[in-house]
């Protein structure tokens, strides 16, 4: 996001600084509108307040970039925290029964059954992490639905703008290219974190399969079996309850976006 914002801001600055060398015109002949990162409308007072308007425009680009980074960083942190908790639970489960290979007592005393209490603790923590992941999904599902549709449509429009200006001045395609790839990478990171949650949420199931469950008591095995039933259904992040955020679905979204791009471009030509 910072790279995209930087390219978006640098374009008008470079156009102003390198005007004499590249396009063989004086800097004073460049309209003030082209020195701003995006088009603005201020009427007849535009030239009178050009410098405050320029400061506001550049600050808006930087503020938008930082706001997006902060919002996404919170989402990434929540996902990584949930994945870390699944990993911790899986590590504890995998080591259950490994120190009891010499003594097997399927009907041991409940008070002395350390494996049972470890498994019970993991079961409770596992339910807490599942609830935490469900809260993440409920918070972001509607946002991702809007963001997904917006990215596909706007990405296609930026692609059309890039193709239209491809044979023209190179300066006219810097902003569309930066915005197109910026949105693509932004969307990929959302799906990538969703894939993390899918992979790590089934980690306790794999850990139970690797544990020495046959050296534990019957009550402990029942808890392990109960956790295995629940971990068969992975935790997921969806876009409006319609699409699961995963790497496979990201490829489908990119194909759909490219098909929109081709359709819009053929309609325009």
């Amino acid at each position: 996001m910072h790279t995209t914002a930087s390219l978006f801001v640098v374009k008008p600055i470079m156009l102003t600084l390198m005007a004499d060398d590249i396009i063989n015109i004086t800097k004073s002949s460049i309209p003030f509108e082209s020195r701003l990162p995006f088009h603005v409308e201020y009427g007849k007072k535009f030239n009178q307040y050009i410098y405050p308007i320029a400061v506001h425009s550049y600050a808006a680009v930087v503020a938008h970039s930082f706001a997006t980074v902060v919002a996404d960083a919170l989402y990434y942190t929540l996902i990584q925290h949930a994945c870390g908790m699944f990993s911790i639970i899986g590590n504890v489960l995998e080591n259950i029964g490994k120190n009891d290979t010499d003594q097997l007592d399927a009907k041991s005393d409940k008070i002395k059954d350390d494996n049972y209490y470890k498994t019970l603790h993991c079961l409770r923590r596992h339910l807490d992490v599942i609830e935490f992941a469900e809260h993440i999904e409920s918070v972001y599902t509607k946002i991702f639905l809007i963001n997904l549709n917006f990215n596909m449509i706007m990405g296609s429009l930026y692609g059309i703008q890039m193709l239209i200006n491809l044979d023209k001045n190179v300066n006219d395609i810097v902003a569309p290219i930066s915005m197109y790839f910026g949105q693509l990478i932004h969307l990929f990171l959302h799906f990538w974190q969703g894939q993390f949650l899918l992979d790590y949420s089934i980690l306790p199931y794999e850990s139970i399969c690797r544990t020495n469950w046959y050296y534990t008591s019957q009550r402990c095995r029942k808890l392990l079996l109960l956790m295995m039933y629940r971990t068969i259904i992975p935790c997921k992040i969806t876009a409006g309850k319609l699409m699961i955020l995963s790497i496979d679905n990201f490829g489908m979204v990119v194909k759909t976006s490219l098909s929109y791009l081709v359709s819009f471009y053929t309609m325009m030509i």
Side-chain angles (χ1 to χ4, degrees), residues 222-254:
K222 292 179 180 179
L223 291 181
L224 292 174
L225 187 61
L226 183 62
M227 290 188 66
M228 292 183 71
Y229 277 131
R230 181 57 186 85
T231 51
I232 292 176
I233 305 173
C235 297
K236 56 185 179 295
I237 304 296
T238 64
K241 308 292 184 180
L242 300 176
M243 174 180 288
I244 299 175
L245 269 62
S246 63
I247 297 299
D248 293 336
N249 287 334
F250 172 74
M252 185 178 65
V253 169
V254 172

Side-chain angles (χ1 to χ4, degrees), residues 35-269:
R35 303 184 187 186
L36 299 178
F38 50 85
H39 181 72
V40 295
E41 287 288 348
Y42 281 90
K44 296 180 180 180
K45 295 184 178 181
F46 178 78
N47 293 331
Q48 182 180 356
Y49 298 102
I50 178 62
Y51 293 107
I53 292 172
V55 172
H56 179 269
S57 300
Y58 288 113
V61 174
V62 176
H64 178 268
S65 175
F66 271 97
T68 305
V69 169
V70 169
D72 287 347
L74 175 62
Y75 166 66
Y76 303 152
T77 303
L78 294 175
I79 292 295
Q80 291 300 320
H81 175 69
C83 293
M85 293 301 296
F86 280 122
S87 181
I88 293 172
I89 293 172
N91 183 69
V92 175
L93 290 173
E94 190 171 348
N95 290 294
I96 288 178
K98 287 190 174 181
N99 298 326
D100 302 326
T101 56
D102 297 332
Q103 47 183 358
L104 174 59
D105 188 3
K107 298 181 180 180
S108 62
D109 189 5
K110 184 176 181 179
I111 300 178
K112 298 180 181 179
D113 194 350
D114 294 334
N115 292 326
Y116 170 77
Y117 286 106
K118 288 181 181 179
T119 307
L120 182 61
H121 178 74
C122 289
L123 176 62
R124 291 170 176 171
R125 297 288 77 79
H126 187 245
L127 294 175
D128 292 339
V129 180
I130 291 175
E131 184 180 2
F132 178 69
E134 290 175 350
H135 284 313
I136 299 175
E137 202 274 336
S138 63
V139 169
Y140 285 97
T141 180
K142 295 180 180 179
I143 300 174
F144 285 153
L145 179 62
I146 299 173
N147 186 39
L148 181 61
N149 290 280
F150 179 79
N151 273 273
M152 285 194 297
I153 296 174
M154 293 304 298
S156 300
L157 295 178
Y158 281 125
I160 292 172
Q161 187 178 359
M162 179 180 62
L163 294 176
I164 292 175
N165 297 322
L166 196 60
D167 298 332
K168 300 178 181 179
N169 193 352
V170 179
N171 296 321
D172 295 331
I173 66 173
V174 174
I177 288 178
S178 62
M179 292 300 296
Y180 180 78
F181 284 102
Q183 284 191 347
L184 191 64
I185 296 173
H186 184 216
L187 197 63
F188 169 74
L189 292 176
H190 287 170
F191 279 81
W192 190 30
Q193 295 300 316
Q195 184 66 51
F196 264 115
L197 187 61
L198 284 172
D199 294 338
Y200 276 83
S201 61
I202 62 174
L203 189 61
Y205 180 90
E206 298 174 353
S207 299
I208 293 174
C209 293
R210 289 193 296 265
T211 192
N212 294 341
W213 56 267
Y214 35 83
Y215 287 112
T216 60
S217 61
Q218 292 183 357
R219 63 177 71 90
C220 182
R221 297 175 192 176
K222 292 179 180 179
L223 291 181
L224 292 174
L225 187 61
L226 183 62
M227 290 188 66
M228 292 183 71
Y229 277 131
R230 181 57 186 85
T231 51
I232 292 176
I233 305 173
C235 297
K236 56 185 179 295
I237 304 296
T238 64
K241 308 292 184 180
L242 300 176
M243 174 180 288
I244 299 175
L245 269 62
S246 63
I247 297 299
D248 293 336
N249 287 334
F250 172 74
M252 185 178 65
V253 169
V254 172
K255 291 180 181 179
T256 306
S257 179
L258 291 177
S259 65
Y260 286 162
L261 173 60
V262 174
S263 300
F264 290 154
Y265 186 69
T266 52
M267 290 173 61
M268 295 183 64
I269 61 176

